């Protein structure tokens, strides 16, 4: 299963590289910027988690100890939280860097791009990365008051490349033709911390 997943990641990665390149004027992701890793739930499928743990196994004992302590702390905090949604720092984040970057989840690989989801009524809705509110990705064309990517702001920005929303929601990526090509069954999905 892991071998098929690695091939899947290679193929998906080719598409994502193109998308990030196409949207370069709107992307401000760089090493040391870890906002997306500091506050989230991080949905992981069973296959993604197994792959992340493969990355964990490559780490030094010092790094593993840091991660284990973070997991214990996060789990204790979650026990005290009565809300359904529990946001926290990713346990794999060390010194503002992903300690398992090569083995990171799909949500981590796609974060930063504008994408869309389709609801049960067939209505599509654009989703912006949360860092838009920090003046980062897509902020030059995002209308905070209306909560939309604005054509008017795009025209005023002088950026020639149009902001494009891609069909890269988790539901799509876990059930697309590429996944089928490699015979992937991603298994159960839950928040990363719930896998520990």
């Amino acid at each position: 299963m892991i071998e098929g997943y690695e091939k899947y990641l290679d193929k998906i990665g080719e598409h994502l590289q193109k998308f990030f390149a196409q949207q370069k004027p709107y992307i401000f992701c760089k090493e040391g910027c870890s906002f997306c890793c500091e506050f989230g739930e991080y949905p992981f499928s069973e296959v993604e988690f197994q792959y992340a743990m493969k990355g964990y196994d490559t780490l030094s004992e010092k790094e593993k100890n840091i991660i284990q302590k973070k997991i214990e702390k996060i789990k204790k905090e979650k026990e005290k939280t009565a809300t359904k949604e529990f946001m926290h720092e990713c346990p794999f984040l060390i010194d503002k860097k992903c300690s398992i970057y090569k083995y990171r989840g799909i949500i981590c690989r796609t974060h930063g791009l504008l994408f869309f989801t389709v609801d049960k009524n067939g209505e599509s809705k654009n989703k912006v990365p949360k860092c838009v509110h920090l003046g980062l990705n897509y902020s030059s064309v995002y209308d905070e008051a209306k909560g939309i990517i604005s054509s008017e702001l795009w025209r005023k920005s002088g950026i020639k490349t149009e902001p494009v929303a891609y069909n890269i929601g988790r539901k799509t990526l876990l059930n697309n033709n590429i996944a089928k090509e490699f015979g992937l069954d991603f298994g159960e999905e839950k928040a990363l911390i719930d896998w520990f």
Side-chain angles (χ1 to χ4, degrees):
M1 182 67 77
I2 292 296
E3 188 179 318
Y5 179 60
E6 287 177 321
K7 289 177 181 174
Y8 164 86
L9 288 177
D10 286 343
K11 206 155 191 182
I12 287 292
E14 290 172 16
H15 293 288
L16 292 175
Q17 277 184 328
K18 287 177 191 170
F19 298 162
F20 275 104
Q22 289 166 357
Q23 296 294 284
K24 189 175 180 179
Y26 304 105
I27 306 295
F28 297 95
C29 301
K30 62 182 179 192
E31 192 173 317
C33 179
S34 58
F35 176 74
C36 57
C37 311
E38 294 173 13
F39 193 72
E41 287 187 292
Y42 321 105
F44 268 59
S45 67
E46 188 175 353
V47 170
E48 290 173 273
F49 179 71
Q50 288 171 0
Y51 194 60
M53 293 312 290
K54 183 177 174 181
Y56 173 83
D57 290 340
T58 68
L59 301 177
S60 69
E61 286 307 311
K62 181 182 176 185
E63 291 168 315
K64 287 179 182 178
N65 286 335
I66 291 169
I67 291 166
Q68 284 301 321
K69 285 178 184 170
K70 288 176 83 173
I71 290 167
E72 289 169 19
K73 182 182 175 204
I74 294 166
K75 288 181 93 52
K76 284 179 187 172
E77 288 171 2
K78 186 171 183 178
E79 286 174 16
K80 295 177 193 173
T81 306
T83 59
K84 184 180 176 186
E85 187 178 70
F86 176 68
M87 307 295 248
H88 58 87
E89 182 176 290
C90 177
F92 295 118
L93 186 67
I94 300 175
D95 296 328
K96 294 193 165 283
K97 292 182 183 174
C98 179
S99 60
I100 59 159
Y101 187 78
K102 178 183 171 188
Y103 302 89
R104 69 198 186 282
I106 292 170
I107 190 98
C108 314
R109 294 168 190 271
T110 60
H111 193 80
L113 285 169
L114 180 64
F115 70 100
F116 67 88
T117 58
V118 180
D119 66 19
K120 57 186 174 188
N121 299 321
E123 298 286 322
S124 69
K125 180 172 177 157
N126 285 348
K127 302 278 188 170
V128 293
K130 290 182 181 175
C131 64
V132 72
H133 306 295
L134 298 176
L136 296 173
N137 295 13
Y138 295 96
S139 60
S140 61
V141 292
Y142 184 69
D143 184 326
E144 283 279 355
K146 295 179 182 174
I148 60 166
I149 298 294
S150 165
S151 297
E152 185 180 333
L153 288 176
W154 170 54
R155 284 191 294 279
K156 286 180 182 177
S157 74
I159 299 171
K160 292 183 177 162
T161 304
E162 187 174 359
V164 174
Y166 297 96
N167 189 10
I168 55 168
R170 283 189 61 77
K171 187 176 179 183
T172 299
L173 290 180
L174 298 183
N175 296 294
N176 63 16
N177 288 335
I178 299 170
K180 289 174 187 158
E181 177 185 336
F182 295 111
L184 289 175
D185 175 2
F186 286 90
E188 184 181 0
E189 182 176 307
K190 51 189 175 181
L192 176 59
I193 198 64
D194 294 335
W195 283 109
F196 295 102

